Amino acid sequence: MLCLEELLTLELFKALPRNRLDWICERAKTIDLNIDEVLVKEGDPPQGFFILLCGRMGLTRRSEGLEIPIGQHEAPSFFGEIPVLTGEPAPVTARAITDCHFYELSGDDFLTLLHECRTFEQMIFQSVAKRSRGLESFIRNREKMAALGTLAAGLAHELNNPAAALVRALQDITPAIIELQHMNLVVGQHQIDEAHTQEWLKARDKGYEAILHKRIDLMSLNEREDQILNWLEDYGVKDAWKLAQPLAESGIKIETLEELTTQWRDELTQMRDIGLRWLALSFEVMSMIASGLHGAERIAELVQSMKSYSHLDQGARQLVDIHQGLEDTLRLFSYKLKHGVEIHRSYAPLIPKIWAYGSELNQVWTNLIDNAIDAMENKGVLEIITLLHSDRIEVQIIDSGSGIPPEIQSRIFEPFFTTKPVGKGSGLGLEVVRRIVEIRHQGTIMLASKPSKTQFTVCLPIIQHRTL
């Protein structure tokens, strides 16, 4: 049984009269936990008010499948008041770090004490406010880190292909250039006349232009490759299949190949087909360069998008292009979108830049677009619409998901409210969105949802000069 002296080790209970202290001692239930035993699991229904008199309790919260430590209670202390007061499930898991000895007062008994003593009530609500601020701050940081993690994973995924293409091009181009130098040396020893050399160079340069500017019809490429392969085999080229593809990609015509090789048909040395091999290898090298250049450009584009997204090279507040922010966000989400999400854009022309916190607005677009993708289960239509009014810019983000039930729509922006399973959502994503839009930018955000259409509308005031 809880004794009076133990109870008075906590400042909280010194505000209560003696008869109420005796009442608590009579009604409190003894609980003992061994190391690593769980008292309350995140998501459990409200239980009671706990008075810890010996030991330490660790608090954790699930995030992306991991148990993240967020704090501790060390004796003497109390906890459990928040779920009892709110009626919401436990926001954290409480686990014994050491052997623990404490008492539990039922939720009803705790509320009775709260209503009877004003000082006790004030101290409890001060504790609630402090703990809620700490939990909210922790989860806000986790939200930001989760958003960055999502984008980092997507960025790594998107960088992988162009980086691999660039590596392949650099690996393969060295032996190809060495082989071309060898061919040039062999041909140079045969002292080919200048006019004929110019014909080969002209064919090569024309093929270069076609490869660099992608002038070849991809629909007919396979047919063209088969025709060139047949011609090469008739000409007697060994391993003709190796030459057919690069020659086809250059757009070179069979008539041109006929003209270039006329004087070599009766040649019995390697000179009979070295020109064809030189031409094919030259085109192959140019294709490698074009592929590597495309990969490098894609890497630069993604890096620029991330830099623009985070506004790393600018101050906290600057002139922001809303359309660029939306496009940067979509580009960084492309790894998620390309598996079944169709994007419909309808951007108003001549939308001005506005004075805003660019990286924070991009966090708004990130949360809304990510939620939309999840709501559609990665398959559906995502619409992004911008409208220009006289004093504001309106951004609509619409998904074709199952919708948000009417009975919870009024709570969707509440802190810690989430429809996702424990560990999948913090309940602060949309609260962060609301805070950034309404408090940081003096704008508004509205929700309209029904099956197959959920629309978030963000309105931002047009401010084109520094006012804050």
Side-chain angles (χ1 to χ4, degrees):
M1 180 177 171
L2 178 62
C3 72
L4 191 64
E5 289 74 17
E6 290 177 315
L7 205 54
L8 291 175
T9 59
L10 285 150
E11 189 68 28
L12 174 69
F13 295 102
K14 293 178 181 178
L16 295 175
R18 174 63 184 264
N19 65 323
R20 271 304 171 194
L21 294 174
D22 291 335
W23 180 82
I24 294 172
C25 291
E26 291 173 2
R27 302 176 76 88
K29 182 177 69 174
T30 304
I31 299 178
D32 289 300
L33 288 183
N34 296 321
I35 293 177
D36 211 35
E37 282 191 293
V38 172
L39 173 67
V40 177
K41 289 188 69 173
E42 180 182 351
D44 282 351
Q47 295 185 26
F49 179 72
F50 300 101
I51 305 165
L52 178 64
L53 295 175
C54 180
R56 279 187 298 143
M57 297 292 295
L59 307 179
T60 62
R61 187 176 174 95
R62 290 190 67 80
S63 178
E64 304 300 320
L66 299 175
E67 288 278 349
I68 308 298
I70 64 171
Q72 295 183 10
H73 290 304
E74 185 167 2
S77 65
F78 62 89
F79 57 94
E81 71 281 4
I82 294 178
V84 174
L85 290 170
T86 62
E88 299 287 344
V92 297
T93 294
R95 179 182 280 106
I97 297 176
T98 66
D99 291 342
C100 292
H101 174 68
F102 50 92
Y103 294 86
E104 179 184 3
L105 196 63
S106 73
D108 289 339
D109 288 344
F110 170 72
L111 292 174
T112 298
L113 287 174
L114 199 69
H115 297 149
E116 286 186 351
C117 180
R118 179 63 176 163
T119 304
F120 183 87
E121 181 185 48
Q122 287 178 334
M123 295 177 71
I124 286 294
F125 279 106
Q126 287 170 0
S127 171
V128 168
K130 181 179 179 181
R131 289 173 178 175
S132 294
R133 284 195 300 269
L135 181 60
E136 185 175 341
S137 175
F138 169 82
I139 296 176
R140 284 193 198 284
N141 289 331
R142 289 295 303 176
E143 278 284 331
K144 291 180 181 178
M145 293 304 293
L148 287 174
T150 298
L151 291 176
L155 187 62
H157 187 278
E158 288 299 299
L159 285 171
N160 183 61
N161 287 340
L166 185 56
V167 169
R168 283 195 303 271
L170 292 174
Q171 285 177 335
D172 296 341
I173 204 169
T174 301
I177 290 175
I178 292 172
E179 180 63 20
L180 280 175
Q181 290 175 332
H182 171 73
M183 290 180 180
N184 289 336
L185 180 62
V186 171
V187 172
Q189 291 173 341
H190 284 74
Q191 299 181 345
I192 301 173
D193 66 87
E194 180 66 19
H196 190 51
T197 299
Q198 288 303 317
E199 290 176 11
W200 285 95
L201 293 175
K202 182 179 178 182
R204 182 201 65 182
D205 293 344
K206 189 176 180 181
Y208 280 176
E209 286 292 313
I211 292 169
L212 286 174
H213 296 97
K214 302 186 185 311
R215 293 175 179 166
I216 306 307
D217 179 15
L218 295 178
M219 299 296 291
S220 62
L221 184 60
N222 288 339
E223 183 181 350
R224 180 189 295 273
E225 187 176 336
D226 289 340
Q227 291 173 350
I228 290 177
L229 178 60
N230 291 334
W231 184 88
L232 291 171
E233 288 175 343
D234 289 343
Y235 185 79
V237 175
K238 185 179 179 182
D239 296 329
W241 60 273
K242 294 182 179 180
L243 282 62
Q245 182 179 350
L247 290 172
E249 289 177 347
S250 75
I252 196 168
K253 297 180 179 178
I254 289 178
E255 292 80 2
T256 302
L257 296 176
E258 290 276 7
E259 292 171 4
L260 290 172
T261 56
T262 297
Q263 74 180 66
W264 303 103
R265 281 187 173 273
D266 298 328
E267 179 68 47
L268 299 179
T269 68
Q270 63 178 321
M271 289 299 296
R272 187 174 190 276
D273 62 9
I274 196 171
L276 294 170
R277 296 185 181 279
W278 173 83
L279 204 57
L281 190 56
S282 296
F283 294 148
E284 194 171 349
V285 167
M286 185 53 66
S287 292
M288 293 177 196
I289 292 172
S291 175
L293 181 61
H294 177 72
E297 288 172 344
R298 177 61 177 157
I299 291 170
E301 179 185 89
L302 288 166
V303 170
Q304 180 57 41
S305 292
M306 194 64 187
K307 185 179 180 183
S308 174
Y309 174 91
S310 58
H311 293 266
L312 289 175
D313 57 344
Q314 302 176 38
R317 195 168 170 89
Q318 65 273 318
L319 282 173
V320 171
D321 185 329
I322 296 297
H323 289 164
Q324 181 183 335
L326 289 165
E327 288 301 308
D328 286 338
T329 305
L330 288 172
R331 197 171 292 117
L332 294 172
F333 267 121
S334 60
Y335 74 106
K336 269 191 168 185
L337 297 168
K338 62 188 177 186
H339 295 301
V341 176
E342 188 177 339
I343 307 293
H344 292 178
R345 298 173 177 85
S346 179
Y347 290 167
L350 304 177
I351 278 189
K353 292 183 178 181
I354 62 172
W355 197 258
Y357 297 95
S359 60
E360 293 186 23
L361 278 186
N362 285 341
Q363 190 179 350
V364 169
W365 314 139
T366 297
N367 279 328
L368 294 180
I369 291 173
D370 198 22
N371 282 348
I373 296 170
D374 286 344
M376 295 185 290
E377 297 181 346
N378 299 313
K379 190 173 184 179
V381 176
L382 176 65
E383 293 183 74
I384 301 182
I385 300 170
T386 61
L387 301 170
L388 178 61
H389 302 282
S390 60
D391 60 344
R392 68 190 187 280
I393 294 170
E394 183 176 318
V395 180
Q396 300 174 4
I397 296 178
I398 306 166
D399 69 70
S400 61
S402 58
I404 300 171
E407 60 270 18
I408 66 170
Q409 289 184 22
S410 63
R411 302 191 62 196
I412 206 72
F413 294 107
E414 287 183 13
F416 305 117
F417 180 78
T418 179
T419 58
K420 297 178 181 179
V422 171
K424 294 295 184 182
S426 67
L428 279 183
L430 288 177
E431 195 277 334
V432 167
V433 167
R434 183 202 60 78
R435 182 171 50 83
I436 292 173
V437 172
E438 294 183 357
I439 298 175
R440 296 286 277 174
H441 293 90
Q442 292 77 55
T444 61
I445 181 167
M446 295 173 287
L447 165 69
S449 183
K450 61 182 181 180
S452 300
K453 184 178 181 181
T454 294
Q455 174 177 322
F456 283 92
T457 302
V458 175
C459 290
L460 299 167
I462 296 176
I463 301 174
Q464 294 177 276
H465 55 86
R466 189 189 297 268
T467 59
L468 295 176

